[in-house]
């Protein structure tokens, strides 16, 4: 049922350690499911990996607006705030 769903594929890519693919698929999934907070987590992780902490913070803010207690978003928030400005 979920095999062709980009959110499912994003979770699978993240589980396999493919941050860039997870983010790409999460962007697709967020167009279909804009209230999916974990999609923003995947996008934030890729932004941090790409040395874009401000973009990461934008995704984190959208995630935390929907799920303020999501621990991995909070951890990414700390990492983004501690990252050197690009």
């Amino acid at each position: 049922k979920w095999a062709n769903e980009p959110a499912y594929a994003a979770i699978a890519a993240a589980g396999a350690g493919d941050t860039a693919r997870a983010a790409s698929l999460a962007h697709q999934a967020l167009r279909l499911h804009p209230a999916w907070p974990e999609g923003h987590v995947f996008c934030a992780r890729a932004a941090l990996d790409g040395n874009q902490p401000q973009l990461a913070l934008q995704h984190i803010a959208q995630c935390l607006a929907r799920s303020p207690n999501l621990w991995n978003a909070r951890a990414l928030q700390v990492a983004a705030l501690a990252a050197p400005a690009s």
Side-chain angles (χ1 to χ4, degrees):
K1 176 181 177 177
W2 297 101
N4 295 321
E5 171 63 42
Y8 175 82
I11 293 168
D18 190 345
T19 307
R21 180 158 170 69
S24 175
L25 290 162
H27 280 292
Q28 293 175 35
L30 285 167
R31 284 193 284 278
L32 299 171
H33 313 287
W36 181 45
E38 290 83 358
H40 290 290
V41 170
F42 297 142
C43 294
R45 174 80 268 167
L48 275 178
D49 287 352
N51 197 28
Q52 299 176 59
Q54 293 304 315
L55 179 58
L57 287 169
Q58 291 173 15
H59 282 290
I60 293 164
Q62 291 180 44
C63 174
L64 292 175
R66 291 176 176 87
S67 297
N69 296 321
L70 201 59
W71 70 269
N72 52 351
R74 290 287 179 194
L76 286 172
Q77 184 179 41
V78 170
L81 290 170
S86 51

